[in-house]
Amino acid sequence: MTIHHFLNTQDWTRSELDTLLSQAAEFKRNKFGRELEGRSIALLFFNPSMRTRTSFELGAQQLGGHAVVLQPGKDAWGIEFDVGTVMDGEAEEHIAEVARVLSRYVDMIGVRAFPKFQQWAVDREDRVLKSFAKYATVPIINLETITHPCQELAHILALQEHLGELKNRKYVLTWTYHPKPLNTAVANSALMIATRFGMDVTLLCPTPEYALDPRYMDFAKQNAVENGGSLTISHDVESAYRDAHVIYAKSWGALPYFGRWEQEKPIREAHRHFMVDEAKMALTDNAVFSHCLPLRRNIKATDAVMDSPRCIAIDEAENRLHVQKAVMARLMVR
Amino acid sequence: MTIHHFLNTQDWTRSELDTLLSQAAEFKRNKFGRELEGRSIALLFFNPSMRTRTSFELGAQQLGGHAVVLQPGKDAWGIEFDVGTVMDGEAEEHIAEVARVLSRYVDMIGVRAFPKFQQWAVDREDRVLKSFAKYATVPIINLETITHPCQELAHILALQEHLGELKNRKYVLTWTYHPKPLNTAVANSALMIATRFGMDVTLLCPTPEYALDPRYMDFAKQNAVENGGSLTISHDVESAYRDAHVIYAKSWGALPYFGRWEQEKPIREAHRHFMVDEAKMALTDNAVFSHCLPLRRNIKATDAVMDSPRCIAIDEAENRLHVQKAVMARLMVR
Amino acid sequence: MTIHHFLNTQDWTRSELDTLLSQAAEFKRNKFGRELEGRSIALLFFNPSMRTRTSFELGAQQLGGHAVVLQPGKDAWGIEFDVGTVMDGEAEEHIAEVARVLSRYVDMIGVRAFPKFQQWAVDREDRVLKSFAKYATVPIINLETITHPCQELAHILALQEHLGELKNRKYVLTWTYHPKPLNTAVANSALMIATRFGMDVTLLCPTPEYALDPRYMDFAKQNAVENGGSLTISHDVESAYRDAHVIYAKSWGALPYFGRWEQEKPIREAHRHFMVDEAKMALTDNAVFSHCLPLRRNIKATDAVMDSPRCIAIDEAENRLHVQKAVMARLMVR
């Protein structure tokens, strides 16, 4: 018997995702349940969190379960992920023991582990998450590593709530400026899930260097073919926004500059005008706007866009609670 | 419909405060209830906490609710509070989003945010707390900012338990030395609540520069008039202690020196003898002694005073649990 | 009435320990109960934790109780433990207040406080733990200070599960190398509990300087006499491992070098070969291997030993949950 994890939406069928979304909508109507009665989840944060932590902790509790929050390297011991290594560095214990011991205590393990931003070839292996999946004997949930599948479900649920059927809606994932080179996780996730639901997707970014990792570009292309949508890359703001139904914003660092970010900085700085503003939104077909949060106002999107009735970022954030309850409940059925 | 918050006791009528205190006394007799069944509270700590965190977390749980503890800037993202700013600094998200998202997850939000100690003109605006109240759509509870209303209720409950009727009791708020310039929050709160309950209040401090902000001095004067008590400022230790029924100690930094604390330090150092000791307590009418805790022994009060049967600081700390349960239960009724 | 604490197994009779182990085995079969209904425990961590924190938090919850996790000096205020001191240093409050206030909020207090590694004469007083026991009016549980009694029970339960009767089994506590000089707590505990259960115990360490504190050596000798076992010190790896039934590994710093660790380092470095490996394990009578975790792989034990079916470290870690539930349930009966 293989354990069923929630590592990436690509591992789940469209029908399974639809079931999760229905269940999430049901939890949105009826908050409380006993689906996690006597169950527990360990939430491991290698990076900060506000929404993820709050929504998982409350979600578990509202279904009769309990969440334990751990921060390895801060309030818990540092962890080694290399196999066969002589552990004479900083880490006090190996993922093999951490995953096995936690599997004895809890029924699920959630893991947040951002890239190290030194070498993309290393970070793209998603080693922390995969190591947990390898050694744990309970389901693992991705709380954002190099993809963010919980955000994907919350995003799609919010889009369905506001737009109804999503097939062939014009969906724009727009890169925006940010003072730091950020994780591509949400961008990867946005492309995968938007194509999965048959939308006509445009990836708007400053230059070809801002294209995402081929693994995720390929998933998106394949999803588009299988679900009757499309995938286009654009560097032209105006045509990308024109007639769009969804504008989803995210900043990320260009992969070819990974680890030598000072060289990427001038390119990023030169594209501050990618910020989502009212003029750009006016080009759309009354599009909804969203972002995964946290968001720097007047850097990624203006106050006017954030405070407009077409901004559904708060709805998307709320939906984290509902979709994650659906994921946890589903994993506990198997 | 305006949301009812618990930001300051001055926003609540005396009758409402009396009801909270009765409910707290009832919770002290009967610890468990279902008043917060299915309810949750997010506790945001921008500064350390021991009593507040423990008592709120347990209090919510004992009434059937659940508390989530967050530390923005540490385990959660840093937050921007300025309006209209271009967020290119350290903060990753804006209070508008934080407050709105948390309002979707939880039923109440508690906020601890001490002053920055750079400019009193800025700190006195209580911006963090007020921003939460502005953007949140659920009740906000002050966990100590520039006032400490939960401490006020716990303090009054402890005084009522030990002294019965408080009207026209002689109440002394005495400044004490501390190696660092501290927050005026508890001092502001002590003056407001002691006058609110009609006590004859003396603010004992080294020099006129240690008077509190006019906003709170004025509230206290008005309270004294309305409740049949009085407010006096004194710099004379002996006459202040003479015949007192309550000695409440607190250290704070003098407002005129805000942000240039090195200039205040010699004044503070020159008044180390304000420490509460047995000789001073002997001048009183068998007064009870209290302090909000944490307290540095043999700096603010001697071991003998702290360990004496007239010290009610532990009772006051215990009462935090009971009064906060009353506050949460009350906010959830509206 | 004296309060019953769980500070050290030596304070408990063998019969009481047996009862705890039976109760733990029962909790292992039946996870949920109401023994801690309406009860709470504060878990104070002065040092990091993964297993202890997770297992106590979940254990309390599975028996109907609630755990509050505090980290004094990080998210809570720093604490002074000296008596009669003028508190003009870093600590903002005294253990007298901390213990008394927490005793008003919760029904038990767990304390993790490692040595400071400056002066063994100071650390061996176990002052933090003893101060809590002195001032608190509720039971205190040792979460590892200079002994680790919860680990002892988990260890014995795992040994009983794998070996049945333990009397006169050959038990080897082997020192191993570690890049840092570590706490002797688990080593002290291993000697005490193994002798308590009548095993024939060998303390294997590089030189006589690695012997443990006389207090614990004496407890172990006395236990051996009273329970029909024995205690031997050895510096010879081969004869120590020969025919052993249990190999328990732990690294610790040599007490004579306490606080001048740079002088101990070469001795430690010269004994890296104490690492537990398959060749050494082959000398035993098909011994089980264990360690308290965290463990540095290929430093303290090889991957092959850790991943072998004779390694019971994960079972021991799991048992922390069960034995701690038994301890909490027992302390709440009195």
Side-chain angles (χ1 to χ4, degrees):
Chain A
M1 191 199 68
T2 56
I3 308 159
H4 211 65
H5 300 298
F6 188 69
L7 305 182
N8 280 300
T9 52
Q10 293 295 127
D11 308 330
W12 290 58
T13 66
R14 171 65 194 269
S15 156
E16 287 174 319
L17 298 179
D18 286 336
T19 303
L20 287 176
L21 290 167
S22 302
Q23 178 65 70
E26 176 58 27
F27 281 135
K28 192 164 186 168
R29 285 186 296 271
N30 297 293
K31 199 170 168 179
F32 301 104
R34 306 313 297 168
E35 285 82 354
L36 300 180
E37 182 87 58
R39 304 291 200 161
S40 56
I41 181 168
L43 302 172
L44 274 72
F45 290 99
F46 292 83
N47 307 91
S49 166
M50 199 276 285
R51 274 155 292 276
T52 301
R53 187 231 159 115
T54 306
S55 55
F56 263 104
E57 184 173 336
L58 282 172
Q61 198 263 345
Q62 289 168 358
L63 298 182
H66 185 77
V68 176
V69 178
L70 297 169
Q71 300 180 93
K74 289 175 72 179
D75 52 25
W77 307 102
I79 301 174
E80 174 65 55
F81 292 92
D82 277 338
V83 171
T85 190
V86 174
M87 289 177 56
D88 53 8
E90 282 308 301
E92 286 292 348
E93 61 184 323
H94 195 272
I95 178 62
E97 276 68 62
V98 172
R100 286 167 183 162
V101 170
L102 286 177
S103 297
R104 299 287 182 97
Y105 294 152
V106 297
D107 300 289
M108 290 173 277
I109 302 171
V111 179
R112 164 160 291 189
F114 292 171
K116 299 287 183 194
F117 293 100
Q118 300 301 312
Q119 291 181 266
W120 178 240
V122 172
D123 284 338
R124 81 188 291 279
E125 295 309 316
D126 213 1
R127 196 171 46 144
V128 173
L129 186 70
K130 286 189 177 159
S131 300
F132 272 98
K134 175 180 173 186
Y135 292 107
T137 54
V138 298
I140 302 298
I141 300 177
N142 180 346
L143 310 183
E144 189 177 356
T145 60
I146 57 171
T147 58
H148 197 351
C150 292
Q151 193 73 43
E152 293 178 41
L153 294 183
H155 180 45
I156 287 296
L157 183 59
L159 292 181
Q160 289 176 334
E161 290 166 342
H162 285 272
L163 302 178
E165 174 57 41
L166 299 181
K167 196 155 189 299
N168 296 121
R169 294 289 192 156
K170 184 173 177 188
Y171 179 103
V172 180
L173 169 63
T174 178
W175 178 94
T176 60
Y177 170 75
H178 186 286
K180 298 175 199 160
L182 298 185
N183 196 352
T184 53
V186 171
N188 294 333
S189 277
L191 280 200
M192 285 193 289
I193 204 69
T195 51
R196 199 73 182 283
F197 280 78
M199 290 192 269
D200 291 319
V201 176
T202 299
L203 167 57
L204 171 62
C205 55
T207 70
E209 294 170 310
Y210 284 84
L212 298 168
D213 187 90
R215 180 196 293 148
Y216 301 109
M217 297 301 291
D218 289 349
F219 274 139
K221 281 176 211 159
Q222 173 195 328
N223 288 345
V225 168
E226 289 173 10
N227 295 281
S230 61
L231 176 66
T232 313
I233 300 187
S234 167
H235 309 304
D236 181 64
V237 172
E238 201 170 310
S239 62
Y241 272 75
R242 182 84 59 201
D243 299 326
H245 301 106
V246 179
I247 302 295
Y248 199 50
K250 184 72 189 74
S251 186
W252 63 88
L255 299 178
Y257 294 92
F258 223 82
R260 40 191 193 95
W261 297 111
E262 65 299 334
Q263 291 172 260
E264 189 232 14
K265 200 173 170 59
I267 314 177
R268 236 181 318 128
E269 296 283 351
H271 293 84
R272 281 177 172 258
H273 59 283
F274 270 63
M275 178 168 66
V276 184
D277 57 22
E278 286 183 296
K280 293 189 192 75
M281 290 301 290
L283 298 170
T284 68
D285 184 6
N286 192 30
V288 294
F289 167 77
S290 199
H291 186 280
C292 64
L293 306 180
L295 173 141
R296 288 171 178 250
R297 283 176 168 240
N298 304 311
I299 292 284
K300 289 173 164 181
T302 60
D303 283 328
V305 168
M306 287 303 291
D307 293 329
S308 111
R310 299 306 284 165
C311 172
I312 63 168
I314 306 297
D315 293 337
E316 180 172 327
E318 177 190 331
N319 287 345
R320 295 287 305 280
L321 176 64
H322 312 304
V323 301
Q324 291 161 189
K325 284 159 82 170
V327 168
M328 289 189 284
R330 182 78 191 82
L331 294 178
M332 288 297 91
V333 169
R334 295 186 178 239
Chain B
M1 191 197 69
T2 57
I3 309 159
H4 209 67
H5 301 298
F6 188 69
L7 305 183
N8 279 300
T9 51
Q10 293 295 127
D11 308 330
W12 291 58
T13 66
R14 170 66 194 270
S15 156
E16 287 174 319
L17 297 179
D18 285 336
T19 303
L20 288 175
L21 290 167
S22 302
Q23 178 64 72
E26 176 57 28
F27 281 135
K28 193 163 187 170
R29 285 185 295 270
N30 298 291
K31 200 169 166 178
F32 301 104
R34 306 314 297 168
E35 285 82 352
L36 300 180
E37 183 88 58
R39 304 291 199 160
S40 55
I41 181 168
L43 302 173
L44 274 72
F45 289 99
F46 292 82
N47 306 91
S49 167
M50 197 276 284
R51 274 155 292 276
T52 300
R53 187 230 160 114
T54 305
S55 55
F56 263 104
E57 185 174 336
L58 282 172
Q61 198 262 345
Q62 288 169 358
L63 297 182
H66 185 76
V68 175
V69 178
L70 297 169
Q71 301 179 95
K74 290 175 72 178
D75 53 23
W77 307 102
I79 302 174
E80 174 65 54
F81 291 92
D82 277 339
V83 172
T85 190
V86 174
M87 290 176 56
D88 53 7
E90 282 309 301
E92 287 291 347
E93 61 184 323
H94 194 272
I95 179 62
E97 276 68 63
V98 172
R100 286 166 183 164
V101 170
L102 286 177
S103 296
R104 298 288 184 96
Y105 293 152
V106 297
D107 300 290
M108 290 174 276
I109 302 171
V111 179
R112 164 161 291 189
F114 291 171
K116 299 289 184 192
F117 293 100
Q118 299 302 312
Q119 291 180 265
W120 177 242
V122 172
D123 284 337
R124 80 188 292 279
E125 295 309 317
D126 213 1
R127 196 170 48 143
V128 173
L129 186 71
K130 286 189 177 161
S131 299
F132 271 98
K134 173 180 173 185
Y135 292 107
T137 54
V138 298
I140 302 299
I141 300 176
N142 181 347
L143 310 183
E144 188 176 355
T145 60
I146 56 170
T147 58
H148 199 350
C150 292
Q151 194 72 43
E152 294 178 42
L153 294 183
H155 180 45
I156 287 295
L157 184 59
L159 292 181
Q160 289 176 334
E161 290 166 343
H162 286 271
L163 302 180
E165 173 58 40
L166 300 181
K167 194 152 192 300
N168 295 122
R169 293 288 192 159
K170 183 173 178 189
Y171 180 102
V172 179
L173 168 63
T174 177
W175 178 94
T176 60
Y177 170 75
H178 185 286
K180 298 175 200 161
L182 298 184
N183 196 352
T184 52
V186 171
N188 294 333
S189 278
L191 281 200
M192 286 192 288
I193 204 68
T195 50
R196 199 72 181 283
F197 280 76
M199 289 192 269
D200 291 319
V201 176
T202 299
L203 167 57
L204 171 63
C205 56
T207 69
E209 293 171 311
Y210 284 84
L212 298 168
D213 187 272
R215 180 195 293 148
Y216 302 108
M217 297 300 291
D218 289 348
F219 274 138
K221 280 176 214 161
Q222 174 194 328
N223 288 345
V225 169
E226 289 173 9
N227 295 282
S230 60
L231 176 65
T232 314
I233 300 187
S234 166
H235 309 304
D236 181 64
V237 171
E238 201 171 309
S239 62
Y241 272 75
R242 182 84 60 201
D243 300 324
H245 302 106
V246 180
I247 302 295
Y248 199 50
K250 184 72 189 74
S251 186
W252 62 88
L255 299 179
Y257 293 92
F258 223 81
R260 40 191 193 95
W261 297 110
E262 66 298 334
Q263 292 172 260
E264 188 232 14
K265 200 173 171 58
I267 313 177
R268 238 182 315 130
E269 296 283 350
H271 293 85
R272 282 176 172 259
H273 58 282
F274 270 62
M275 178 167 65
V276 184
D277 58 22
E278 286 182 295
K280 294 189 191 76
M281 290 301 290
L283 299 170
T284 70
D285 184 4
N286 192 29
V288 293
F289 167 77
S290 198
H291 186 281
C292 63
L293 304 182
L295 172 142
R296 289 171 177 249
R297 282 175 169 241
N298 305 312
I299 292 284
K300 288 172 163 181
T302 60
D303 283 328
V305 168
M306 287 304 291
D307 293 329
S308 111
R310 298 307 284 166
C311 171
I312 63 168
I314 306 296
D315 294 336
E316 179 172 327
E318 177 190 332
N319 286 346
R320 293 288 304 279
L321 176 64
H322 312 304
V323 300
Q324 291 161 188
K325 285 160 83 169
V327 168
M328 289 190 282
R330 182 75 191 83
L331 293 178
M332 288 296 93
V333 169
R334 295 189 177 236
Chain C
M1 192 197 68
T2 57
I3 308 159
H4 210 65
H5 302 297
F6 188 69
L7 305 183
N8 280 299
T9 52
Q10 294 295 127
D11 308 330
W12 290 57
T13 67
R14 171 65 194 270
S15 157
E16 287 173 320
L17 298 179
D18 285 337
T19 302
L20 287 176
L21 290 167
S22 303
Q23 177 64 70
E26 176 58 28
F27 281 135
K28 193 164 187 168
R29 286 186 295 271
N30 297 292
K31 199 170 168 178
F32 301 104
R34 307 313 297 168
E35 285 82 354
L36 300 180
E37 183 88 58
R39 304 292 199 159
S40 55
I41 182 168
L43 302 172
L44 274 73
F45 289 100
F46 291 84
N47 306 92
S49 166
M50 199 274 286
R51 274 155 294 276
T52 300
R53 187 231 159 114
T54 305
S55 56
F56 263 104
E57 184 173 336
L58 282 171
Q61 199 262 345
Q62 290 169 358
L63 297 182
H66 185 77
V68 175
V69 178
L70 297 169
Q71 300 181 95
K74 290 176 73 178
D75 53 24
W77 307 102
I79 301 174
E80 174 65 54
F81 291 92
D82 277 339
V83 172
T85 190
V86 174
M87 290 177 57
D88 53 7
E90 282 307 302
E92 287 291 348
E93 60 185 324
H94 195 272
I95 178 61
E97 277 67 61
V98 172
R100 286 166 183 164
V101 170
L102 286 177
S103 296
R104 298 287 183 97
Y105 293 153
V106 297
D107 300 289
M108 290 174 276
I109 302 170
V111 179
R112 164 160 290 190
F114 291 171
K116 299 289 183 194
F117 293 100
Q118 300 301 313
Q119 291 181 264
W120 178 241
V122 172
D123 285 337
R124 81 189 291 278
E125 295 309 317
D126 213 1
R127 195 171 46 143
V128 173
L129 186 71
K130 286 189 177 159
S131 300
F132 272 98
K134 174 180 174 186
Y135 292 107
T137 54
V138 298
I140 302 299
I141 300 176
N142 181 346
L143 310 183
E144 189 178 353
T145 59
I146 56 171
T147 59
H148 197 351
C150 292
Q151 193 72 42
E152 293 178 42
L153 294 183
H155 180 46
I156 287 296
L157 183 59
L159 293 180
Q160 289 176 334
E161 289 166 343
H162 286 271
L163 303 178
E165 174 55 42
L166 299 181
K167 194 155 191 301
N168 295 122
R169 294 287 192 157
K170 183 173 177 188
Y171 180 103
V172 179
L173 168 64
T174 178
W175 179 94
T176 61
Y177 170 75
H178 186 286
K180 298 174 199 162
L182 298 184
N183 196 351
T184 53
V186 172
N188 294 333
S189 278
L191 282 201
M192 285 192 289
I193 203 70
T195 50
R196 199 72 181 284
F197 280 77
M199 290 193 268
D200 291 319
V201 176
T202 299
L203 167 58
L204 170 63
C205 56
T207 70
E209 294 170 310
Y210 285 83
L212 298 168
D213 187 273
R215 180 195 295 149
Y216 302 108
M217 297 300 290
D218 288 349
F219 274 138
K221 280 176 213 161
Q222 173 195 328
N223 289 345
V225 169
E226 288 172 9
N227 295 281
S230 60
L231 175 66
T232 314
I233 299 186
S234 167
H235 310 303
D236 180 65
V237 172
E238 202 170 307
S239 62
Y241 272 76
R242 183 84 61 201
D243 299 325
H245 301 107
V246 180
I247 302 295
Y248 199 50
K250 185 70 189 75
S251 186
W252 63 88
L255 298 180
Y257 293 92
F258 223 82
R260 42 194 191 92
W261 297 110
E262 66 298 335
Q263 291 172 261
E264 187 232 15
K265 199 172 172 59
I267 314 176
R268 237 182 316 130
E269 296 283 350
H271 293 85
R272 280 176 173 260
H273 59 282
F274 270 62
M275 179 168 65
V276 184
D277 58 22
E278 286 182 296
K280 294 188 192 75
M281 290 301 290
L283 300 169
T284 69
D285 184 5
N286 191 30
V288 294
F289 166 78
S290 199
H291 186 281
C292 64
L293 306 179
L295 173 142
R296 290 172 177 249
R297 282 177 168 240
N298 303 312
I299 292 284
K300 289 173 164 182
T302 61
D303 282 327
V305 169
M306 286 304 292
D307 294 328
S308 113
R310 299 306 284 164
C311 171
I312 63 167
I314 307 296
D315 294 335
E316 179 173 327
E318 177 190 331
N319 286 346
R320 294 287 304 280
L321 176 64
H322 312 304
V323 301
Q324 291 160 188
K325 285 160 83 170
V327 168
M328 289 189 282
R330 182 76 191 83
L331 294 179
M332 288 296 91
V333 168
R334 290 183 183 244

